[in-house]
Amino acid sequence: MTPIVLNNIHKSYGTPPKPVLENISLTLHPGITCLMGPSGIGKTTLANIAAGLLSPDGGTVTGREGKKIAFLFQEDRLLEWETALSNVLFVTPNAKEFTAQARTLLTRAGLADAVNQKTAELSGGMKRRVALCRTLITDRDFLILDEPFKGLDDETKPAIIEMVKSHISLENPKIILCITHDHAEAEALSGQLIRM
Amino acid sequence: MKISSSYRRPLVYTLLAVLFWLLVWEAAAAWVGSTVILVPPRLAFARLFALAQTGGFWLSIGTSMRRIMLGFLLALGAGVLIAVGASVSRIFKHLMLPFINVLNAMPLASFALLVLFLFGSRNLSVVVPFIMVMPIVFHNVYKGITNTDPKLLEMARVFEVPLWKRVFYIYAKSLMPYLLSAASIGIGFAWKSGISAELIGNVSGTIGRELHSARNFFLMVDLYAWTIAIVLLSYTIDRVFRFIYEKWKGHTPS
């Protein structure tokens, strides 16, 4: 799998333009890359540019062509009126075909009892896990996880980190860009670490 | 199952309020002392009861209701389609807006007369409610579509979710409250405008015709009885829509 290369990325916001990203270059190889840095430094902006949701003011992104993308946004972006299962199946091409897999994922995430519960009724941490299951359900080449463990307690977190780690293998290479400001999370994911 | 007393209380208050105004009406009629000027409620209700036992009464109600409801449902369909078109194409939106604004501003009487000449009296109570309700539906549904959460749409786009799924799961959820609210307002408009159009066009076999005859022959008791029938029907239809809306709202936490 070809890496995704971000080259000399510039991005500014507001009038007069206030630069958020200046001359940022980054190569995302298959495997996990953790992007670390304090809040407001432009991590999410960079992830949006990498995903093609935002155009840079300057610089190029190559290697994204033909890759299927999954994005765990900073907000859960769930269909609150639908069940946890429906939310996971929402992004699959065939609900019937993926139902068993979705149930397995939700069970692994500790949500076996919440499968048929409307997401509006779930706690913040449970919603986060549903959103993560939705990101992992289909076979995508490039996964962007923006603060994937936000709101998870210390007991739940290790299992969820394992879920993310086990999602990639030699037979099934993927590029995973994980944004976090927690050093312990980045270490636990044991991938490439980039500080902004 | 526990039934909250807050559900019962408003009904009691409503009934008491209705009773109060009926008594005021009865007292005013007794004070006026002329059934040509003000018919007492007991006479109006007695006449309504007598009318309800004739086939013609139900036939008129059936004919008016069928035509007005057809106009209303066509307005719902057209309003939704035009709103979808306007949200997809800016050119279509700019093309439709003046037309809809003209329909909005046009007085019912002049419109009813125009329709009478163009389409004849038979379709008057289909076309007029359609014209009155369609702009309401359009504006509401368009607002519902444009207020759809852009973050959910972005999520669906990233995951390459097909259009039908986005429409069914995201857009429909967003615009349903707007559509139901438009329907609830529109049904009252349809009913009032439809009967007024029938009255203007003197359309045979309809409620409007009955009102027309009552006015021509000074049958004041009949005029009151028919008016009560219209109010009761309008109220019932509005309640049905509100019931559907509340039920739908209860099923979907926002």
Side-chain angles (χ1 to χ4, degrees):
Chain A
M1 182 184 277
T2 53
I4 294 171
V5 182
L6 291 91
N7 199 22
N8 285 329
I9 301 293
H10 286 263
K11 184 74 188 173
S12 303
Y13 287 116
T15 7
K18 192 185 163 207
V20 179
L21 299 173
E22 280 181 291
N23 220 12
I24 301 281
S25 295
L26 187 70
T27 303
L28 302 170
H29 295 283
I32 299 175
T33 302
C34 284
L35 195 58
M36 278 193 66
S39 297
I41 197 109
K43 300 187 297 291
T44 298
T45 302
L46 192 66
N48 281 327
I49 290 170
L53 296 179
L54 210 58
S55 300
D57 297 334
T60 55
V61 181
T62 54
R64 197 178 52 215
E65 308 77 29
K67 287 191 174 67
K68 285 190 172 290
I69 300 172
F71 204 134
L72 174 64
F73 296 91
Q74 212 171 54
E75 324 83 30
D76 300 317
R77 301 196 189 187
L78 295 171
L79 310 174
E80 296 272 318
W81 52 96
E82 293 291 336
T83 63
L85 182 65
S86 288
N87 267 281
V88 177
L89 292 173
F90 179 66
V91 300
T92 63
N94 186 329
K96 254 186 192 172
E97 208 178 287
F98 282 86
T99 301
Q101 199 183 328
R103 281 181 185 278
T104 310
L105 265 175
L106 286 164
T107 306
R108 277 187 69 191
L111 296 168
D113 295 332
V115 168
N116 294 316
Q117 228 174 312
K118 284 188 177 161
T119 42
E121 298 161 6
L122 303 180
S123 70
M126 289 164 96
K127 284 181 187 178
R128 198 67 188 147
R129 283 179 273 161
V130 174
L132 180 67
C133 291
R134 182 181 63 190
T135 314
L136 301 180
I137 181 90
T138 49
D139 192 24
R140 306 274 167 163
D141 311 300
F142 180 28
L143 283 83
I144 299 165
L145 313 176
D146 196 351
E147 304 282 359
F149 314 115
K150 191 178 69 179
L152 300 187
D153 55 58
D154 290 341
E155 284 173 28
T156 323
K157 213 182 273 182
I160 305 301
I161 289 173
E162 273 314 304
M163 253 179 96
V164 174
K165 282 171 76 176
S166 65
H167 197 64
I168 46 168
S169 60
L170 278 176
E171 307 83 57
N172 194 12
K174 287 173 196 305
I175 296 172
I176 299 183
L177 175 63
C178 182
I179 296 167
T180 178
H181 50 242
D182 187 324
H183 196 265
E185 283 174 9
E187 273 198 344
L189 282 167
S190 58
Q192 184 190 1
L193 186 66
I194 295 170
R195 286 176 197 275
M196 278 182 78
Chain B
M1 188 173 68
K2 189 186 164 201
I3 296 169
S4 164
S5 58
S6 64
Y7 273 98
R8 274 187 236 155
R9 221 176 287 143
L11 183 67
V12 173
Y13 287 151
T14 308
L15 289 175
L16 284 173
V18 170
L19 191 69
F20 169 77
W21 287 111
L22 284 174
L23 287 172
V24 170
W25 179 7
E26 185 70 42
W31 181 69
V32 169
S34 164
T35 55
V36 177
I37 299 168
L38 190 60
V39 175
R42 66 196 149 76
L43 281 186
F45 278 101
R47 181 63 187 140
L48 177 63
F49 188 69
L51 280 173
Q53 290 175 42
T54 63
F57 175 84
W58 295 108
L59 205 67
S60 297
I61 285 184
T63 306
S64 291
M65 200 176 221
R66 200 176 60 242
R67 290 180 186 167
I68 292 169
M69 287 308 285
L70 178 64
F72 170 73
L73 291 174
L74 287 173
L76 275 188
V80 170
L81 283 178
I82 296 172
V84 170
S87 62
V88 171
S89 157
R90 199 172 283 187
I91 295 171
F92 183 73
K93 179 188 154 189
H94 289 302
L95 207 65
M96 291 312 290
L97 271 180
F99 171 65
I100 286 169
N101 288 338
V102 166
L103 293 183
N104 245 346
M106 234 172 156
L108 167 71
S110 55
F111 200 85
L113 288 172
L114 274 174
V115 174
L116 191 63
F117 285 118
L118 286 169
F119 299 99
S121 67
R122 214 181 130 72
N123 298 315
L124 197 62
S125 48
V126 177
V127 180
V128 169
F130 171 84
I131 297 299
M132 295 301 287
V133 176
M134 194 270 280
I136 302 172
V137 177
F138 165 78
H139 283 298
N140 271 271
V141 173
Y142 181 73
K143 204 172 166 190
I145 294 173
T146 49
N147 279 354
T148 305
D149 187 351
K151 289 186 170 178
L152 285 182
L153 293 174
E154 188 181 56
M155 177 273 292
R157 205 173 67 239
V158 168
F159 284 98
E160 295 164 326
V161 173
L163 182 66
W164 73 265
K165 251 182 167 179
R166 291 183 218 185
V167 170
F168 189 78
Y169 284 94
I170 302 176
Y171 282 110
K173 162 68 189 173
S174 172
L175 67 84
M176 267 313 258
Y178 292 91
L179 180 63
L180 287 170
S181 152
S184 181
I185 300 164
I187 192 74
F189 268 99
W191 197 235
K192 281 176 217 163
S193 63
I195 289 170
S196 301
E198 286 172 354
L199 179 74
I200 293 165
N202 194 16
V203 187
S204 63
T206 63
I207 297 175
R209 175 63 163 268
E210 298 292 344
L211 290 175
H212 195 268
S213 305
R215 188 200 64 179
N216 277 0
F217 300 111
F218 282 101
L219 301 171
M220 294 308 282
V221 183
D222 280 34
L223 188 62
Y224 276 76
W226 275 106
T227 307
I228 294 169
I230 294 164
V231 170
L232 289 176
L233 277 168
S234 183
Y235 180 79
T236 310
I237 294 168
D238 183 59
R239 286 285 109 185
V240 169
F241 265 92
R242 275 172 203 275
F243 174 75
I244 295 169
Y245 180 48
E246 292 302 323
K247 213 163 171 61
W248 178 84
K249 245 172 56 178
H251 278 295
T252 53
S254 53

